Amino acid sequence: KRLSDWSVDEIILLNIGKSNQFDSRRDDKWHNIGSSNHNKLISTVSKFCFAPLSVGGGIRNKKQIRELFNYGADKCILNTIIFNDPQTVNWAISEYGSQAIIASIDIKKTVNGEYKVFTNNGTFNTNLSLIDAVTKAINFGVGEIIISSIDNDGSGYGYNDFILKNLPSDIPVEIIINSGAVSAKHFVKALKNEDIDAVAASNIFYFTELS
């Protein structure tokens, strides 16, 4: 509700855990919020969210995609299946439209100094370059692409310079950059890049005074 009240353009809700079951019950704290699951959380959040709500994390099949939209998501974020299940991606775009499907690309620097795209929560190296992955997503017909840096995520160092400097030009869809921003200067630096349409962040909204 707070993020929505601040008039952000889009709220991204990613489940980065290995389970769709959440449990906030604790014996060592006074609060006892209880347990829930991803779909119930989306249903609750959507009632307070007046910006487009984009949801993803761990999506592997049509059933999960249907459930996201049925429970209140406006857009669905796909990562791993973009690279290993083209049939499901094509179905999702055909069923819900390009504007409702976002491709998520995670970049990581390998031990030999190359930047490659990783899937499965950053554990599997696809050996695809950033340009190859962006091209693949565009060819599917997705409506947006969010690019995250595994190395910069949560670092506070700002957005990854490799991404800022190596995006292909004239990308026909919206490009969102993510990971590492904790100040307005990080936003400004990224948005000066003509190939980037929007900036995403998390920690700055929760841990920065007067954010």
Side-chain angles (χ1 to χ4, degrees):
K1 184 180 186 302
R2 182 176 67 165
L3 293 172
S4 189
D5 288 345
W6 280 349
S7 299
V8 299
D9 292 314
E10 187 169 355
I11 294 177
I12 296 171
L13 184 64
L14 284 176
N15 174 19
I16 60 174
K18 295 182 179 180
S19 170
N20 285 326
Q21 299 298 318
F22 307 129
D23 195 336
S24 297
R25 294 171 295 181
R26 293 178 59 176
D27 296 328
D28 61 333
K29 296 289 184 180
W30 62 268
H31 60 74
N32 185 0
I33 299 173
S35 59
S36 185
N37 62 49
H38 201 214
N39 291 335
K40 289 180 181 178
L41 179 63
I42 296 166
S43 178
T44 302
V45 169
S46 65
K47 296 173 184 176
F48 298 93
C49 180
F50 300 103
L53 178 62
S54 302
V55 184
I59 300 172
R60 298 291 187 271
N61 54 58
K62 295 178 182 179
K63 177 176 180 291
Q64 290 173 302
I65 295 172
R66 285 195 193 97
E67 288 177 345
L68 290 185
F69 287 112
N70 289 341
Y71 278 89
D74 297 300
K75 301 179 184 181
C76 177
I77 302 172
L78 303 179
N79 185 304
T80 298
I81 67 172
I82 287 284
F83 304 97
N84 63 17
D85 190 355
Q87 183 178 1
T88 297
V89 177
N90 286 326
W91 169 85
I93 292 172
S94 174
E95 187 79 6
Y96 297 100
S98 292
Q99 81 289 342
I101 305 299
I102 301 175
S104 174
I105 296 174
D106 293 337
I107 294 289
K108 183 179 180 181
K109 191 174 185 179
T110 62
V111 292
N112 60 7
E114 294 181 318
Y115 283 90
K116 296 294 183 180
V117 173
F118 280 70
T119 60
N120 297 82
N121 289 328
T123 62
F124 179 77
N125 183 357
T126 65
N127 279 315
L128 290 173
S129 68
L130 174 61
I131 292 177
D132 289 341
V134 169
T135 301
K136 189 177 186 70
I138 291 172
N139 289 339
F140 274 121
V142 300
E144 297 176 44
I145 300 174
I146 181 168
I147 303 174
S148 302
S149 166
I150 294 174
D151 301 309
N152 285 46
D153 199 45
S155 68
Y157 295 152
Y159 299 112
N160 190 299
D161 283 333
F162 175 85
I163 298 172
L164 294 175
K165 296 175 180 177
N166 289 276
L167 277 172
S169 300
D170 302 322
I171 301 172
V173 300
E174 299 290 304
I175 294 292
I176 307 167
I177 190 168
N178 185 41
S179 306
V182 293
S183 73
K185 68 180 181 180
H186 293 149
F187 293 152
V188 172
K189 180 179 178 181
L191 291 171
K192 284 182 177 179
N193 185 319
E194 294 181 354
D195 298 315
I196 291 174
D197 301 286
V199 290
S202 178
N203 288 348
I204 186 174
F205 296 115
Y206 307 119
F207 303 117
T208 305
E209 185 178 3
L210 301 179
S211 54

